[in-house]
Amino acid sequence: MKSNNKLKIFNDPIYGFITIPNSLIFDLIQHKYFQRLRRITQMGLSYLVYPGAHHTRFHHALGSMHLMQKAINVLRFKGVTVSKEEENGLLIAILLHDIGHGPFSHAMEHSIVNNISHEEISLQFMEKLNEEFNGSLTLAISIFKGKYPRKFMCQLISSQLDMDRADYLKRDSFYTGVAEGNINSERLITMLNVVDDDLVVEEKGIYSVEKFLVARRFMYWQVYLHKTGMVAEQLLTRTLKRAKELVQKGEQLNCSQPLQFFLTSEVNLKNFDSDTLAVFAKLDDYDIVAAMKLWRDHNDFVLRNLCEMIIDRDLLKIKMKNKPIKVSDLKMHHTALMDKYSISKEEADYFVFAGEITNIAYQNKKENINILLKSGKIKDIVKASDQLNLKALSKPVTKYYMCYPKKKM
């Protein structure tokens, strides 16, 4: 039974009531591709660090759409023309910007599909939906790709100050309980304007932008790049890689059919067709968790231990340093593990490894956040701000890490 009442309201813990503006957007939200986002956590395995971080991509997509509605109203109020079609295009583009995420958000991109980003899969979903909805997503797709001639609209979807970031920083800080990440997205949006087709922030919003950038840096080190969360993500990626390796050697692994498909196929951007998309649309966090619960009893040493570590939250040790990890340190842990369990170097590599992470809060080389001064001049936030640390925020910070097993495995 289809409901005719399509102007529904969602109750969001952060913004209160979110209204669905029209029946096309209602139908997109109702679509099985979008409903799948209810089964994909926004922050991967971060709930192993922050127990409250169980919110989903579904939450985030609706929140981003809500902020986009606000941004459109603010810009119209300031005399920027946004047609009804453009408004719809913006709302659909932001609503569907994350629809291509796989299970646990990022783990899949680095393990069982080859070099396909979630943005590329999002675009495939949008093009498929465009066929189903008789071309009514054409404008949204053009904005999403950054091809639409009105630049500020593309910036609202993807830039240093887009509606995606405005929502996820606020939402993630709320669900993790990390108060320092809480930004005032409402105030930021109220200060937006457009000059020469570029998105700018009015001078009186300068402190809100500073707070936004500082909050972003804090959230990256404290939450997104939290060392325990990173270990969990690495273990998940390695679990899927190992599963794929075993299947390709002819091992039988029990798991859901969609996951089986990706373990047995070599999927890359060239062969990611509509049939692959249909299988991908059936894949979510539940497939992966169910598989790991089965695989923890597998006779393969690597797969069994990786799954146990995640399911029981008994993870690898991780050391973070400001200097690159010494090869001799890695070798020592490798040798100890190989001797203890009589395993090969390749098997030990799954448990002993090093890497680096880089965090840059403000990429002013890529695209600026421009401040509109009262005089009418436009300045980059770093030059316009009197806060010394903003210059530092635009420099990349790199940290190095090494993971290895605890004494008992």
Side-chain angles (χ1 to χ4, degrees):
M1 282 290 289
K2 286 276 182 210
S3 150
N4 291 326
N5 173 20
K6 294 186 173 184
L7 301 179
K8 297 265 182 223
I9 291 175
F10 285 97
N11 195 349
D12 184 76
I14 294 166
Y15 310 120
F17 293 121
I18 294 179
T19 50
I20 296 179
N22 58 52
S23 60
L24 170 60
I25 286 175
F26 175 85
D27 290 337
L28 286 169
I29 291 171
Q30 282 291 81
H31 197 281
K32 62 182 178 185
Y33 291 166
F34 191 79
Q35 288 293 320
R36 166 183 160 273
L37 297 181
R38 290 181 184 272
R39 301 185 300 280
I40 292 184
T41 47
Q42 172 74 11
M43 292 176 62
L45 286 166
S46 291
Y47 60 77
L48 293 177
V49 184
Y50 296 101
H54 274 288
H55 56 303
T56 64
R57 293 264 156 201
F58 184 87
H59 271 126
H60 162 60
L62 289 177
S64 303
M65 183 193 74
H66 172 72
L67 293 182
M68 184 66 84
Q69 284 174 301
K70 285 200 171 309
I72 293 166
N73 290 340
V74 163
L75 294 177
R76 277 183 177 154
F77 180 71
K78 292 178 183 178
V80 180
T81 51
V82 179
S83 71
K84 200 79 193 110
E85 290 74 32
E86 286 171 331
E87 175 181 6
N88 237 4
L90 282 166
L91 293 176
I92 292 168
I94 199 72
L95 182 73
L96 303 180
H97 77 283
D98 269 348
I99 199 168
H101 266 293
F104 291 106
S105 291
H106 290 287
M108 190 156 170
E109 287 173 58
H110 309 297
S111 53
I112 53 179
V113 295
N114 296 327
N115 302 319
I116 308 176
S117 70
H118 68 269
E119 289 91 353
E120 287 160 326
I121 301 175
S122 289
L123 193 55
Q124 295 225 23
F125 272 125
M126 286 165 91
E127 279 163 355
K128 185 88 179 110
L129 287 165
N130 200 25
E131 287 169 29
E132 280 186 42
F133 286 87
N134 305 322
S136 49
L137 279 75
T138 307
L139 183 62
I141 290 170
S142 165
I143 296 172
F144 179 77
K145 284 166 135 177
K147 298 270 167 68
Y148 194 65
R150 301 188 75 186
K151 188 181 169 193
F152 78 91
M153 293 195 176
C154 303
Q155 289 169 328
L156 283 168
I157 303 291
S158 178
S159 66
Q160 301 255 1
L161 201 57
D162 55 34
M163 296 305 104
D164 172 27
R165 287 181 188 187
D167 180 78
Y168 77 64
L169 283 175
K170 196 168 178 62
R171 190 166 297 279
D172 294 350
S173 81
F174 176 87
Y175 280 98
T176 52
V178 176
E180 293 88 345
N182 186 10
I183 57 161
N184 190 343
S185 44
E186 312 266 328
R187 181 172 166 81
L188 264 175
I189 289 168
T190 309
M191 298 298 147
L192 291 178
N193 210 330
V194 175
V195 175
D196 297 335
D197 217 30
D198 247 331
L199 205 57
V200 295
V201 180
E202 292 164 358
E203 189 173 357
K204 54 182 180 283
I206 200 163
Y207 300 116
S208 300
V209 177
E210 287 174 358
K211 169 121 175 22
F212 169 79
L213 291 173
V214 172
R216 189 161 184 262
R217 178 176 187 272
F218 191 91
M219 285 296 284
Y220 267 85
W221 286 127
Q222 195 71 39
V223 179
Y224 306 129
L225 299 175
H226 187 288
K227 59 183 194 171
T228 310
M230 277 174 40
V231 172
E233 180 114 350
Q234 280 285 345
L235 288 173
L236 183 58
T237 303
R238 284 155 190 270
T239 301
L240 294 171
K241 268 193 178 143
R242 182 60 170 181
K244 186 155 191 156
E245 208 173 275
L246 292 174
V247 165
Q248 288 175 343
K249 283 182 186 162
E251 283 264 4
Q252 280 292 307
L253 283 186
N254 287 335
C255 61
S256 69
Q257 274 177 316
L259 183 53
Q260 193 84 48
F261 172 84
F262 282 97
L263 292 177
T264 50
S265 320
E266 273 306 324
V267 177
N268 54 45
L269 198 54
K270 282 199 180 78
N271 65 15
F272 199 102
D273 55 17
S274 59
D275 291 342
T276 314
L277 189 72
V279 183
F280 183 86
K282 293 177 178 169
L283 202 58
D284 55 51
D285 293 6
Y286 296 12
D287 297 77
I288 309 293
V289 173
M292 288 193 296
K293 286 171 75 176
L294 292 170
W295 299 344
R296 65 181 296 176
D297 297 318
H298 197 271
N299 55 15
D300 177 67
F301 176 87
V302 175
L303 187 64
R304 180 177 72 246
N305 278 290
L306 289 172
C307 292
E308 264 188 3
M309 284 176 172
I310 298 171
I311 296 286
D312 298 340
R313 199 196 175 281
D314 189 8
L315 309 169
L316 295 171
K317 268 183 102 67
I318 178 167
K319 278 215 167 111
M320 294 281 243
K321 299 195 166 180
N322 293 325
K323 294 198 291 268
I325 303 297
K326 289 185 194 145
V327 178
S328 57
D329 288 354
L330 269 180
K331 202 170 172 194
M332 178 185 79
H333 288 294
H334 259 123
T335 312
L337 191 64
M338 285 154 66
D339 291 351
K340 186 172 180 184
Y341 293 104
S342 311
I343 56 173
S344 67
K345 162 88 166 61
E346 285 72 33
E347 288 172 314
D349 280 345
Y350 275 95
F351 304 99
V352 179
F353 51 89
E356 61 179 67
I357 45 169
T358 301
N359 178 15
I360 176 163
Y362 176 51
Q363 296 170 316
N364 60 344
K365 302 282 182 290
K366 207 166 96 181
E367 194 178 305
N368 305 24
I369 294 178
N370 287 321
I371 303 295
L372 171 63
L373 302 177
K374 289 193 179 75
S375 63
K377 275 175 78 176
I378 288 176
K379 264 189 175 177
D380 177 74
I381 178 70
V382 174
K383 292 197 171 78
S385 167
D386 54 11
Q387 208 179 332
L388 295 171
N389 67 353
L390 279 203
K391 216 180 192 84
L393 287 184
S394 55
K395 290 192 173 69
V397 178
T398 302
K399 289 185 182 180
Y400 304 87
Y401 66 87
M402 172 172 74
C403 297
Y404 54 92
K406 296 171 182 167
K407 291 282 180 279
K408 170 185 88 42
M409 206 171 99

